[in-house]
Amino acid sequence: MKRFAFIAGLAILLAWNGPSPAEERAVVIVAAQDSPLDAITPHQVRLSFLAVPVRVDGALVKPVLNTGDPLLHEVFLQKAIYLSDQHYRRQIVSQVFRSGGARPAEARGTRELIELLQRGPERIGYMWRRDARDHNDLKILQVLWQGSVQ
Amino acid sequence: MLSIIRDGGACWFRFQRAGLGVATLFLLVGLTESAGADTSGDFLLFPGLEWRNDSNADPPGFATDDEWFGSLDLFATADVGQFRFLGEWFLTENSQEIQRLQFGWRFDADDSLWLGRFHTPIGYWNTAYHHGTYLQTSVSRPGIAEFEGGDGPLPTHFTGLLWEGSASTDDGALHYSLGLGAGPVLDSKLDPFDVANPDDHHHDHETGAVVNVNWRPAPHGRNQVGAFAGRTEISDSAEVFGHTEQTLYGVYGNWHRDRLRLLGAWFHVSNSFEGIGAPDEDFSAAYLQGEYGFGARTTAYGRIETTNGARADARYLGRFEAFITERTLAGLRYELTDRQALTVELATRESFEAEADRVTVQWSAYFP
């Protein structure tokens, strides 16, 4: 009985002892499999998501925000755009108000993002690499960031 | 808007014409959204509501007492291939005006040539914010950047050609704008060319040119330092001086670092009156605004504005009796949601006609 109590206590301690281990993840830029885009630089990604027109391989890139996963969206903005969500939205409105163009479209989840990408081969979006690998109808254009998240 | 209708047939006719223009504009954007791959468009509404109250006014008769001011700015863009369109329509209870109506051609990713009515690239404030009230942290604009239809002494709109572009290097990017076109006439205030009613003053609008260049360490980033220069011929419909050649130049900067932001500009303006042989009148104006963000939603800010050489008896500048010559203000902005803000601003202000302390409370937003 004592041995059982000891093992159970140890198991609880192990389960509760500290935060969960960090998970290795990567944020990738994706496009539809039939997209004319084959690669895009982080600089081009940043400009296009700042509502600045960017042409890659002759195609005018159309960015799509993926806001369904708050952690993914936050990591993308911090690592690729270098702005908080609030400052980012204000900046793209300012950019469009000043110079014309259009704000990025917005998908509220992976399924909606994939639908948008498949409807427009010039569209790009971002997702976790592990999710992108599950979809044969997407291709990865760029690994934007990789690291550990908790 | 109702007061516009009550004002009489001519005004209603203008209102209808402008409304037709805006309907066309919306249709264009709608078509753009449903069109092919090489098209894009956007549509934004900027509503605003302000309450203002003055105290300690000297003389007392110039105090603004418990005044409400509502406005709505409608903005639309469309890009179809290399062809570009941009339209902006500003409405208040007492007036409506097509602020911008631009048709453009994009030469490459960075350079566009526009034809139509546009914001003159003077300094920073005029092109960055203009009637997009939500976009600026403070409620008020610096006096030197005030609107033409308000008490601003500088031409804030041209109708003509605007070239905008940028050139990137490894260390940053040079952004440039060159505007050429018909400037305003001086009536009781500066009156820009009205594209909805081009017959108004069409013999009086003379030409101007403004160039603006700024350097940004990150291309299309927020941080920048820049310089501008321009020359505009302005005719006086009241015939006090007939005609002036206004030359202006200055520098500006906008710098963010973590939670801190500094924004400032210096202007020098010279007005010459060839027709009447009067001496030139020069003045300069400057402002510096500091902002500090507390958390994600609250921003405290302050601004000082000053002028040098601004005289109430000046032939040109003296016509703008409510032009702010000195102002110190402090304010607090709170983001109610991702698209709405509430701002409280306290200011001591001095113009040619009066001094007063002013409190302003503003709600501003953008949709969608």
Side-chain angles (χ1 to χ4, degrees), chain B residues 39 48 65-66 107 110 165 213 246 351 355 357:
Chain B
T39 64
D65 187 23
D66 193 18
F107 290 99
D110 295 320
V213 179
Q246 184 180 80
S351 67
E355 297 176 27
D357 297 335

Side-chain angles (χ1 to χ4, degrees), chain A:
Chain A
M1 187 64 188
K2 277 185 179 175
R3 179 182 289 178
F4 176 76
F6 174 75
I7 292 170
L10 190 64
I12 291 168
L13 268 176
L14 284 172
W16 285 6
N17 189 21
S20 57
E23 185 185 351
E24 192 74 12
R25 291 203 198 182
V27 176
V28 294
I29 295 295
V30 293
Q33 196 60 252
D34 62 349
S35 168
L37 306 169
D38 288 321
I40 188 167
T41 68
H43 179 64
Q44 289 168 326
V45 170
R46 181 175 176 272
L47 289 186
S48 69
F49 276 92
L50 285 172
V52 177
V54 172
R55 278 192 184 276
V56 178
D57 301 329
L60 186 64
V61 176
K62 288 189 171 181
V64 182
L65 292 167
N66 183 2
T67 56
D69 180 341
L71 179 62
L72 170 69
H73 181 59
E74 186 182 334
V75 170
F76 171 75
L77 289 181
Q78 282 186 6
K79 305 299 180 185
I81 312 294
Y82 316 124
L83 290 172
S84 67
D85 184 65
Q86 181 192 345
H87 285 115
Y88 168 69
R89 290 184 187 277
R90 202 161 152 187
Q91 177 150 346
I92 54 174
V93 171
S94 297
Q95 166 69 19
V96 170
F97 183 73
R98 187 190 177 284
S99 302
R103 289 170 292 166
E106 191 165 337
R108 289 176 179 80
T110 303
R111 180 185 291 180
E112 195 178 329
L113 174 66
I114 293 170
E115 284 174 10
L116 284 170
L117 296 180
Q118 288 177 337
R119 289 214 303 262
E122 74 291 348
R123 288 181 173 145
I124 61 167
Y126 51 90
M127 54 202 311
W128 298 119
R129 180 165 56 189
R130 65 180 186 193
D131 294 337
R133 283 174 174 161
D134 292 340
H135 295 277
N136 294 330
D137 46 358
L138 297 180
K139 61 180 170 183
I140 294 175
L141 306 181
Q142 174 70 243
V143 178
L144 213 53
W145 171 85
Q146 53 188 342
S148 57
V149 290
Q150 287 186 334

Side-chain angles (χ1 to χ4, degrees), chain B residues 9-228:
Chain B
C11 191
W12 173 233
F13 176 67
R14 286 174 63 179
F15 183 78
Q16 278 185 312
R17 267 208 324 204
L20 193 65
V22 171
T24 309
L25 184 153
F26 290 171
L27 183 65
L28 259 172
V29 174
L31 287 173
T32 300
E33 285 297 287
S34 60
D38 223 10
T39 64
S40 60
D42 212 333
F43 172 65
L44 288 161
L45 292 171
F46 293 94
L49 184 63
E50 272 180 44
W51 173 80
R52 307 162 178 160
N53 194 59
D54 286 352
S55 58
N56 303 322
D58 180 23
F62 286 91
T64 295
D65 187 23
D66 193 18
E67 180 182 85
W68 288 89
F69 176 77
S71 64
L72 178 64
D73 195 55
L74 293 88
F75 174 84
T77 65
D79 285 11
V80 181
Q82 288 170 286
F83 175 76
R84 312 193 70 193
F85 170 79
L86 187 156
E88 186 187 359
W89 193 34
F90 185 66
L91 298 153
T92 69
E93 189 184 352
N94 301 313
S95 67
Q96 59 81 25
E97 187 174 18
I98 295 178
Q99 286 286 317
R100 285 186 283 177
L101 189 65
Q102 300 175 216
F103 300 91
W105 187 261
R106 190 192 296 283
F107 290 99
D108 55 41
D110 295 320
D111 289 77
S112 292
L113 181 67
W114 296 94
L115 172 69
R117 178 170 146 151
F118 54 88
H119 295 156
T120 47
I122 293 175
Y124 176 84
W125 207 287
N126 195 47
T127 52
Y129 303 132
H130 216 89
H131 285 297
T133 310
Y134 173 86
L135 300 175
Q136 64 189 39
T137 304
S138 60
V139 175
S140 61
R141 301 162 62 88
I144 192 65
E146 194 53 78
F147 301 116
E148 285 158 330
D151 304 300
L154 306 180
T156 56
H157 297 89
F158 279 170
T159 302
L161 291 168
L162 173 67
W163 176 33
E164 287 184 312
S166 65
S168 299
T169 70
D170 292 340
D171 302 319
L174 191 71
H175 291 249
Y176 43 82
S177 305
L178 172 64
L180 302 164
V185 296
L186 180 58
D187 207 335
S188 57
K189 293 176 177 176
L190 284 176
D191 187 9
F193 188 86
D194 184 357
V195 290
N197 194 16
D199 296 336
D200 265 9
H201 298 295
H202 70 283
H203 293 300
D204 300 322
H205 288 276
E206 298 187 71
T207 55
V210 176
V211 63
N212 189 324
V213 179
N214 66 65
W215 172 258
R216 305 185 196 192
H220 300 279
R222 298 177 294 177
N223 292 346
Q224 57 191 276
V225 289
F228 58 93

